[in-house]
Amino acid sequence: EAQVTQNPRYLITVTGKKLTVTCSQNMNHEYMSWYRQDPGLGLRQIYYSMNVEVTDKGDVPEGYKVSRKEKRNFPLILESPSPNQTSLYFCASSPRTRWIANTGELFFGEGSRLTVL
Amino acid sequence: GENVEQHPSTLSVQEGDSAVIKCTYSDSASNYFPWYKQELGKRPQLIIDIRSNVGEKKDQRIAVTLNKTAKHFSLHITETQPEDSAVYFCAASKGTGGFKTIFGAGTRLFVKA
């Protein structure tokens, strides 16, 4: 089954304790992206990746890191989480490529609800 | 910076009526405009999209219109049903300079039976 898998789905942590949210897709997509969803603000893009070893900042990258060492995986790293990073996080992948401008829907994972105390 | 404004934030309609959600984007280079539906506790899922070389697209009860001059696009749902109740997000993106996608803040649609 084609899917995007995120882990953990729920996490409560404390300020400053490093954490990683994993994301894996089995659709051989080149494009992957992370979003955070907050009430009244919609989905805001954190980072995206066009391919292995190629990543770019979205609109709200501060406090986050990503890596793309393999095509299928795109982990989101919070080096020193703070309470303002409490949010619902979505990973997504897409068949869009640099050579096919703006085609392809975003396939979202189920979301990871993170609470930072 | 680039942004997408979406209105209304909440919309309540009677079953069978039509619903219209409107979005305005700021970056004139945007050329791809998808709409996503998010049911309560679920992930967003694409319901329809339109590219900048097309003015209108329809898929059964849903349709999207695009006015590039006004930088405005809209989602139309006809004959609404209770299962249409969800949050709807519009988005805008462009191919050049990367593939950033800017989402609107969302519209919560209630369809009353």
Side-chain angles (χ1 to χ4, degrees):
Chain A
E1 181 189 352
Q3 58 186 359
V4 178
T5 304
Q6 297 178 225
N7 279 297
R9 295 285 318 281
Y10 302 91
L11 179 64
I12 300 174
T13 190
V14 295
T15 299
K17 186 176 181 182
K18 179 180 179 179
L19 69 92
T20 299
V21 186
T22 63
C23 176
S24 180
Q25 52 95 3
N26 62 1
M27 294 171 278
N28 201 36
H29 289 164
E30 292 185 0
Y31 181 93
M32 297 185 74
S33 184
W34 276 102
Y35 301 85
R36 60 178 289 174
Q37 184 175 12
D38 302 289
L41 297 176
L43 292 152
R44 293 181 293 167
Q45 193 168 32
I46 303 171
Y47 271 95
Y48 63 97
S49 170
M50 292 302 304
N51 211 331
V52 175
E53 303 292 2
V54 180
T55 62
D56 253 315
K57 295 179 181 178
D59 285 323
V60 289
E62 297 78 20
Y64 304 95
K65 286 174 61 177
V66 293
S67 69
R68 188 88 183 274
K69 294 184 171 59
E70 304 165 283
K71 195 173 187 178
R72 62 182 294 131
N73 296 323
F74 191 44
L76 180 69
I77 303 155
L78 285 73
E79 293 271 4
S80 182
S82 62
N84 64 11
Q85 292 179 299
T86 293
S87 188
L88 177 59
Y89 291 87
F90 284 100
C91 178
S93 71
S94 172
R96 65 179 62 169
T97 70
R98 191 175 295 279
W99 299 276
I100 305 176
N102 291 310
T103 61
E105 69 182 274
L106 288 166
F107 292 85
F108 286 88
E110 292 186 317
S112 296
R113 186 166 293 282
L114 171 65
T115 301
V116 183
L117 302 175
Chain B
E2 303 152 0
N3 75 299
V4 175
E5 292 189 1
Q6 182 172 348
H7 299 282
S9 57
T10 306
L11 179 60
S12 183
V13 301
Q14 204 67 37
E15 181 178 3
D17 288 350
S18 295
V20 180
I21 302 170
K22 299 181 179 182
C23 289
T24 303
Y25 59 98
S26 61
D27 189 343
S28 56
S30 297
N31 55 9
Y32 176 63
F33 307 92
W35 286 87
Y36 288 83
K37 175 184 180 182
Q38 186 180 29
E39 297 176 353
L40 190 62
K42 301 283 184 65
R43 72 192 84 188
Q45 291 188 294
L46 181 76
I47 54 171
I48 195 167
D49 57 12
I50 191 168
R51 291 171 180 78
S52 57
N53 58 347
V54 176
E56 184 174 357
K57 185 176 178 181
K58 190 173 182 180
D59 183 3
Q60 299 183 2
R61 295 186 298 108
I62 59 173
V64 58
T65 59
L66 172 65
N67 182 330
K68 284 176 56 180
T69 303
K71 292 189 283 187
H72 176 270
F73 58 113
S74 300
L75 177 72
H76 304 253
I77 307 175
T78 59
E79 301 172 20
T80 54
Q81 302 166 2
E83 51 265 39
D84 294 329
S85 296
V87 177
Y88 292 81
F89 293 100
C90 63
S93 66
K94 58 184 179 182
T96 56
F99 282 79
K100 290 174 65 174
T101 301
I102 310 295
F103 282 84
T107 296
R108 187 173 294 278
L109 174 65
F110 296 96
V111 180
K112 296 176 285 187

